[in-house]
Amino acid sequence: MGKNNKTLNVSFTSFYYFGGAILGALMGTYFKFPLFFLVIPVALALFKKPKVAVFLLIFILSNMAFISNIDFSNKSVEFVGTVKAVQNGSSILRLSFFDGKRWRRMGVDVLIYEEEKLGTIVYFIGQLKRKGAYPIYYAKTDYCATVTNYESLSARVFEHFERYRNFTNNVDPFYQNLFGANSRDENFAKSGLLHIFCVSGMHVSLLYLFTAYVIGMFTYRKWLRVMLSLTFPTIFVIGSGLNLPSLRALIMLYFVALLRLADYKVNAVNIVSLAGTGMVLFNPEIVYSLSFYMTFFATLGVLISENNFLSNIGGFLGSAPYVSLINPVNPFSIIATMLVSIPVQVLLFGLTTSYVLFSCNLFFLSAFILYALKPFAWFIQIVANWFAKLPTIPQHPIITIAFAMSFILYMGFVFELKKQKQESS
């Protein structure tokens, strides 16, 4: 009762640092700061302006880390690397290139318009062309060869989950879509539930909350509750093929968990922003990824509230502005989201449990859980079918702005509830 937890900055300072990292990386596309500019934040720190100094330091570092001077557009070069992620029928590669004397590692991710298994070794001769979204380079190949890397842990993990997805497909094809399969369902797109059909950071955050709730019924030990709550989301992320949005969300959750174990009062805005800042500094290209922003705000929307019902609304509103940029918007989709939110959490938890049993060769029990989950899958698909028949709003910037404003209002509402709760206690 008398224990005072340490507080991790009640303001939203880390959010401003996150903004500085994004601005620095975006500017790095057109202009690079020289190294001596790092003197500026040092000088500001000496003049007792630490927050401004940190902001400028992050801004300059993300600018300098952005690699934009690669030019392999007019000549064929030898490249070799491995598949680091799979997305939408394509593969993201981590590459090295041959400069005529030796192999040199590239500092950027490259897209190839072929879906290869995670960890696959890819060799090709060709050019790199630039595009406007992450990854900002794609391969135009004259010759391409691939080989399975049997020593790669990620390749073995991905192969194992492929077998599990095929196993679930024998019970209900819907399951594999929640566990990393690349497919699209028009009913989910028209109903506004596509963000549920495709693996994203929102799935990871919701699975974490649901797992924490279940674990909390069996133990009150903080360290055990926090660590076990991360186990299922971690398994889920690996199983979904190390999907980039879900991987980013998992990293953010680990930040939150570590600070809770250290007895800090976690400010969701600061923690998610801190994780986002680290990701931008590590890989500045992601500032051109729509899914990065969708992951950031969907995770923030889920974690900002301790109420499960509000967390589901927050996850939807956090991702809605970005979904509306690529699909027509169903104005009734928020109702559909609330209807299926609990069934989706039950499905994610159940599928992860089924996978663990499958990995232990307990196939009968694994299949039993899959059959037990079928009513939840049917309910979600029925809701999607119903809401797909309702009218949609065409894509328009005003719709995106309206969803963004709704998310801001949601955050204000949650903070006001927390403030009232603190005052009453």
Side-chain angles (χ1 to χ4, degrees):
M1 292 289 293
K3 185 179 179 180
N4 291 323
N5 288 342
K6 294 172 277 185
T7 303
L8 183 70
N9 198 352
V10 294
S11 68
F12 301 145
T13 307
S14 295
F15 186 76
Y16 306 131
Y17 297 157
F18 176 63
I22 291 173
L23 290 174
L26 290 173
M27 186 177 289
T29 310
Y30 307 100
F31 174 77
K32 280 290 188 70
F33 291 114
L35 190 61
F36 70 83
F37 265 56
L38 290 172
V39 174
I40 298 175
V42 174
L44 286 170
L46 294 174
F47 283 98
K48 298 182 178 180
K49 298 287 184 181
K51 292 183 180 180
V52 179
V54 173
F55 177 88
L56 281 177
L57 178 64
I58 292 171
F59 175 77
I60 294 171
L61 287 177
S62 65
N63 174 272
M64 295 170 65
F66 194 96
I67 299 175
S68 60
N69 58 350
I70 294 175
D71 186 13
F72 296 122
S73 59
N74 298 318
K75 58 181 179 178
S76 291
V77 179
E78 287 184 88
F79 298 91
V80 68
T82 57
V83 176
K84 64 176 287 187
V86 180
Q87 65 171 34
N88 302 325
S90 302
S91 304
I92 298 176
L93 308 178
R94 184 188 293 111
L95 290 176
S96 297
F97 68 96
F98 189 66
D99 66 359
K101 295 182 179 178
R102 61 188 178 91
W103 289 96
R104 298 177 59 185
R105 184 175 294 277
M106 295 182 62
V108 297
D109 296 331
V110 176
L111 185 74
I112 186 169
Y113 291 106
E114 293 288 341
E115 183 174 334
E116 303 290 347
K117 293 181 179 179
L118 204 67
T120 298
I121 299 173
V122 179
Y123 169 85
F124 69 90
I125 300 173
Q127 302 89 39
L128 297 186
K129 301 291 184 179
R130 187 152 184 165
K131 60 190 188 74
Y134 171 83
I136 59 174
Y137 293 98
Y138 70 92
K140 184 179 179 183
T141 61
D142 300 321
Y143 170 81
C144 183
T146 62
V147 63
T148 301
N149 184 1
Y150 293 101
E151 295 183 357
S152 168
L153 176 62
S154 60
R156 292 199 297 268
V157 169
F158 189 81
E159 186 70 32
H160 188 259
F161 272 87
E162 278 287 280
R163 291 198 298 271
Y164 176 68
R165 280 189 281 268
N166 293 332
F167 178 76
T168 64
N169 195 48
N170 295 326
V171 179
D172 192 328
F174 178 70
Y175 291 144
Q176 62 178 341
N177 300 304
L178 288 174
F179 229 67
N182 289 313
S183 58
R184 177 183 174 89
D185 186 286
E186 287 305 314
N187 283 331
F188 277 82
K190 292 177 182 177
S191 65
L193 295 175
L194 190 62
H195 59 293
I196 286 173
F197 192 74
C198 304
V199 172
S200 67
M202 186 185 72
H203 291 75
V204 181
S205 303
L206 292 177
L207 181 58
Y208 170 78
L209 287 178
F210 189 79
T211 307
Y213 174 77
V214 173
I215 297 298
M217 294 190 295
F218 297 97
T219 179
Y220 291 100
R221 295 184 178 181
K222 182 192 293 185
W223 68 270
L224 187 61
R225 191 168 66 248
V226 169
M227 297 312 295
L228 288 177
S229 298
L230 286 170
T231 302
F232 273 47
T234 302
I235 294 171
F236 175 78
V237 169
I238 296 172
S240 64
L242 296 176
N243 171 285
L244 285 178
S246 58
L247 181 60
R248 293 165 190 155
L250 184 67
I251 293 171
M252 292 177 185
L253 288 176
Y254 268 91
F255 265 89
V256 173
L258 289 172
L259 287 165
R260 282 180 176 166
L261 286 176
D263 242 0
Y264 281 104
K265 288 182 179 178
V266 177
N267 179 324
V269 176
N270 273 330
I271 299 309
V272 177
S273 300
L274 185 63
T277 302
M279 291 176 190
V280 173
L281 289 174
F282 180 75
N283 186 9
E285 293 173 82
I286 61 173
V287 297
Y288 286 97
S289 171
L290 192 65
S291 67
F292 171 66
Y293 298 104
M294 187 160 64
T295 300
F296 175 85
F297 288 105
T299 305
L300 181 60
V302 170
L303 295 180
I304 206 171
S305 174
E306 297 174 0
N307 181 289
N308 281 345
F309 178 74
L310 287 177
S311 292
N312 283 286
I313 296 176
F316 166 76
L317 291 177
S319 59
Y322 305 98
V323 174
S324 68
L325 289 172
I326 55 178
N327 288 296
V329 178
N330 188 320
F332 306 99
S333 58
I334 191 168
I335 300 174
T337 299
M338 288 188 286
L339 286 173
V340 303
S341 60
I342 300 301
V344 166
Q345 292 181 62
V346 173
L347 270 181
L348 292 175
F349 189 83
L351 285 171
T352 309
T353 305
S354 172
Y355 168 73
V356 172
L357 294 171
F358 176 84
S359 300
C360 297
N361 294 327
L362 299 173
F363 303 120
F364 176 79
L365 290 176
S366 179
F368 177 79
I369 290 177
L370 293 177
Y371 279 106
L373 292 172
K374 281 179 76 71
F376 296 98
W378 290 337
F379 178 77
I380 294 169
Q381 292 174 83
I382 289 170
V383 171
N385 291 339
W386 283 348
F387 281 82
K389 298 174 183 177
L390 299 176
T392 59
I393 302 172
Q395 294 170 246
H396 197 279
I398 292 177
I399 303 302
T400 301
I401 293 171
F403 272 121
M405 293 303 298
S406 299
F407 181 66
I408 293 171
L409 290 173
Y410 161 80
M411 290 182 63
F413 174 72
V414 171
F415 283 128
E416 186 61 29
L417 284 180
K418 287 185 176 181
K419 182 180 177 182
Q420 292 178 5
K421 185 178 179 180
Q422 289 175 353
E423 290 175 351
S424 62
S425 61

